[in-house]
Every structure is written in structure tokens, then in C-alpha cells.
Amino acid sequence: MTTAAADPVEPKPEKPRRARGEQTRQLILETALRLFRERGYAETTMRVIAKEAGVAVGNAYYYFDSKEHLIQGFYDRNQAAHREAAEQILASETELAPRLRGVLHAGIDVNEPYHSFAATLFKTAAEPTSPLSPFSRESSPAREAAIALFRDVVDGSTAKLDPELRKELPELLWLAWMGVVLFWVYDKSPGRRRTRRLIDGSVPLIDRLVSLSRLRVLRPALRQALALIESVRRDD
């Protein structure tokens, strides 16, 4: 007597497990950011983060190797939020100045909830060898995402640019944004009004300089400036 072969058992889908893992990861990250705001970066340990999140310490280390990796997670999420906040202005404006102004203000809006611990974090991130530095290898995903956002600012605009300047401008705008962030870190004015004024005052100047770069008489100086930027970028 033969029996019918049993139907093969299909493996259970991994999606729910992955979804739960992502929820746990986000819970740990949210808890860490709250504790950084409340206690400061230096005073918040991985053990405290795990306890507040209701997970085992080993589980916290499973998702984040260290506090530094938590900050990298914050950088990545913060950059995604910055892009999302900038979508409307990029979709509705075609001139360079309002696109740039809108993206810079969107960045301040996104960062504002973290202003209370930004100065403490900056003290660590400012150390050249720190993995938290925006110029570090570890920060490269968030840095490249930020430069890509400024590339969209430039490429989606009607601005007529020198081809060599167009290639370099997104990174130059990101460097300018780093300067704005540094100013914002130490800005204690209500609603960061001084930082807002800095943005509103500097964007027309940047727009004017970009426009002047098309003048033939300024091209030698522009080439010299771009060559200088390239020379200091290299580490040879």
C-alpha cells in the first residue's frame, strides 16, 4: 500500500522576523537619542540604553556595536528626514536660491529637536580621529547622502553653471552647510533666529557668486580655486 507523498513544507517567511528586528533597532535608537538629550552623550551608556529600551544589553550590542554606531544610525536617519523635509521645496521651485534656502531651513527644522545635546556631541565629533566626525570614513554614507541632496538642489535648478563648477558645487554647498550647523550648535537665540538670518543672508551671496562664475573674465580665478580645492582634497 502506498501513501501519498506529503506536501513539502515551505520555509516560514522572514519578513515578520525582519520587521520585528527593525522595530527593535528603531526602539534602541529612539531610546538612545532621548537619553542623549536628557543626560548628555558622555553620561549615557549602552547598559542604560538597553535598560530603558527594555532589551538585553547583548541585544543592544547586536544592533549597534557601540554608542558611536548609534550616532551613525542617527546621522543616517537624520539625513533621510532632511531629504523628506526638502522634497516640497525641490518639487515646487526651479531657481537655485529658493531651492538652496529651503533645503537649509529644512535641515535646521529637522535638527532642532536635538539642539540640547548637539554641543556635547560636537565636542566629540570635532576630534579629527573621531568616527563621529562628519569627515570620517564611518560617516561616509550620511555625508554622501547629504552631498547628493545638494546635487539635487543644483541639478534641478535653472542655474547656468560652468561645467567644472557644477561638478564641485554640491560638495561645496555641503561644506557651507557644515558651517551653518556649527553656527546653529552654539546659537541660543529663540527659534534659532540668528541661524535663520545667516541662511537668508548668505544664500543670495552664494547665488550671486555662482552667477558671476559664468563671466569669462573670472574663469581663470575659478579654475585656480577649483584646482586648489582638488589639491587639498588629495592626501598624497
Side-chain angles (χ1 to χ4, degrees):
M1 179 177 178
T2 59
T3 57
D7 292 334
V9 178
E10 295 184 0
K12 294 181 179 180
E14 289 291 324
K15 190 172 182 180
R17 182 181 300 174
R18 291 176 182 173
R20 287 194 298 272
E22 182 59 24
Q23 289 173 358
T24 302
R25 185 179 187 279
Q26 290 302 318
L27 171 62
I28 296 169
L29 180 57
E30 290 286 351
T31 302
L33 293 177
R34 175 174 60 81
L35 292 173
F36 291 157
R37 291 195 300 269
E38 294 173 357
R39 304 186 180 195
Y41 177 75
E43 290 73 22
T44 303
T45 65
M46 288 292 285
R47 184 173 296 278
V48 170
I49 292 168
K51 182 179 179 181
E52 287 286 323
V55 301
V57 177
N59 206 12
Y61 277 109
Y62 174 79
Y63 290 100
F64 298 96
D65 290 344
S66 64
K67 285 199 303 181
E68 287 78 9
H69 284 83
L70 276 162
I71 294 298
Q72 294 298 340
F74 163 66
Y75 286 167
D76 294 339
R77 197 187 65 168
N78 184 270
Q79 187 54 47
H82 189 180
R83 173 169 284 280
E84 183 177 356
E87 283 180 354
Q88 183 176 355
I89 193 72
L90 293 180
S92 60
E93 293 286 352
T94 57
E95 294 185 4
L96 178 62
R99 287 171 70 84
L100 178 58
R101 184 185 301 110
V103 167
L104 294 177
H105 277 294
I108 297 301
D109 293 338
V110 167
N111 279 287
E112 185 57 30
Y114 307 101
H115 188 268
S116 59
F117 87 96
T120 301
L121 175 60
F122 177 76
K123 290 177 182 177
T124 303
E127 172 61 42
T129 60
S130 171
L132 302 186
S133 167
F135 301 95
S136 71
R137 177 181 57 81
E138 291 84 353
S139 297
S140 61
R143 181 172 62 251
E144 292 303 320
I147 294 172
L149 176 58
F150 287 109
R151 185 172 296 111
D152 287 348
V153 170
V154 174
D155 291 346
S157 75
T158 56
K160 293 179 172 55
L161 303 174
D162 178 272
E164 291 190 32
L165 178 60
R166 177 178 291 275
K167 183 176 66 173
E168 301 293 342
L169 188 56
E171 186 170 352
L172 295 176
L173 292 177
W174 173 73
L175 289 171
W177 167 237
M178 290 294 96
V180 171
V181 170
L182 176 58
F183 188 89
W184 168 84
V185 165
Y186 294 103
D187 183 4
K188 293 180 171 56
S189 62
R192 269 23 95 186
R193 287 197 302 248
R194 294 173 63 228
T195 302
R196 306 283 184 179
R197 286 201 301 269
L198 175 64
I199 291 172
D200 292 340
S202 60
V203 166
L205 293 175
I206 294 172
D207 186 48
R208 182 63 174 159
L209 288 172
V210 168
S211 299
L212 290 174
S213 71
R214 300 198 306 270
L215 297 178
R216 181 173 299 179
V217 68
L218 294 178
R219 286 179 185 171
L222 173 63
R223 295 291 185 275
Q224 186 176 3
L226 294 176
L228 174 61
I229 292 169
E230 180 60 28
S231 70
V232 298
R233 179 186 291 147
R234 296 194 304 267
D235 59 1
D236 55 3

